[in-house]
Amino acid sequence: MSDNVVALGTLSIGSKESLSAALASGGCSSSTSATGCGSKEKPEDMDPATWAKVKDHPCYSEEAHHYFARMHVSVAPACNIQCNYCNRKYDCSNESRPGVVSERLTPVEAARKVIAVANEVPQLSVLGIAGPGDSAYDWLKTKETFRLVTEQIPDIKLCLSSNGLALPDHLDELVEMNVDHVTITINMIDPEVGA
């Protein structure tokens, strides 16, 4: 299982001053910037195993974004915290990010919807489960949705987004289910809380 777990030991807790310095030196900021955020690595700079996992994923590869489609469904409304960016009030064509929905689905409804979309959009290659709610905290609904979809579309990539607090309880199942990508949102005001 060690090949499937990312070590978080290299993360460190910084101060507000170090964050300000990083932002001032061209790091990521909340305003629009020409340089953008995230890794600046090119495919040839990446470990081949990492590139193999992201090259066909529309969320992580600019090239794949033009050829493959993804779909997010909200099936896990329960949560162990309430982040401000999860919005249960509306859907909007300008707000098509995970965490913003007006329709929470049951696992059966979600599977039916994903299969219907896959029949119309053959480029659909990724199913993500994201908020509102936490996919790892409301695990039974997440797991059932993945099971129902992969019975009909066995080659779809599975992804989930979580605040990470309940992920350790489900690592073995995530690996067993071949979940390709897990996005962990880390939110805090106080660095001690982040630690």
Side-chain angles (χ1 to χ4, degrees):
M1 184 170 123
S2 63
D3 292 340
N4 297 308
V5 177
V6 175
L8 300 178
T10 58
L11 294 178
S12 63
I13 303 301
S15 66
K16 188 174 181 181
E17 293 77 24
S18 65
L19 176 60
S20 296
L23 292 174
S25 68
C28 182
S29 71
S30 59
S31 63
T32 304
S33 76
T35 58
C37 300
S39 174
K40 304 293 185 248
E41 289 185 335
K42 296 180 177 82
E44 58 272 13
D45 299 328
M46 287 185 193
D47 168 60
T50 301
W51 176 242
K53 285 192 97 48
V54 300
K55 69 183 175 87
D56 294 334
H57 196 299
C59 298
Y60 300 101
S61 165
E62 181 63 31
E63 190 68 20
H65 179 76
H66 299 288
Y67 299 101
F68 299 101
R70 68 163 187 214
M71 183 174 183
H72 289 108
V73 294
S74 177
V75 296
C79 190
N80 45 8
I81 61 175
Q82 181 59 57
C83 303
N84 285 334
Y85 53 80
C86 269
N87 189 323
R88 301 163 200 263
K89 296 177 185 170
Y90 61 91
D91 279 334
C92 173
S93 60
N94 296 322
E95 281 286 352
S96 60
R97 62 183 165 85
V100 179
V101 299
S102 61
E103 180 183 41
R104 284 172 283 162
L105 305 168
T106 67
V108 171
E109 292 168 336
R112 193 176 309 131
K113 187 172 187 174
V114 171
I115 292 162
V117 169
N119 285 329
E120 296 296 319
V121 181
Q123 300 86 353
L124 183 65
S125 64
V126 177
L127 168 62
I129 296 182
D134 189 82
S135 59
Y137 181 73
D138 207 348
W139 179 246
L140 294 178
K141 292 176 183 170
T142 298
K143 183 178 177 180
E144 180 65 3
T145 303
F146 282 159
R147 185 189 69 75
L148 290 169
V149 170
T150 56
E151 281 179 355
Q152 299 295 315
I153 313 170
D155 58 342
I156 197 164
K157 291 180 187 284
L158 303 177
C159 303
L160 64 87
S161 179
S162 171
N163 61 39
L165 297 176
L167 276 175
D169 299 334
H170 308 294
L171 287 177
D172 292 336
E173 290 173 286
L174 290 167
V175 171
E176 187 178 299
M177 293 167 49
N178 294 319
V179 173
D180 283 323
H181 293 81
V182 176
T183 302
I184 302 173
T185 55
I186 301 173
N187 303 292
M188 76 210 83
I189 296 172
D190 183 344
E192 291 180 31
V193 171

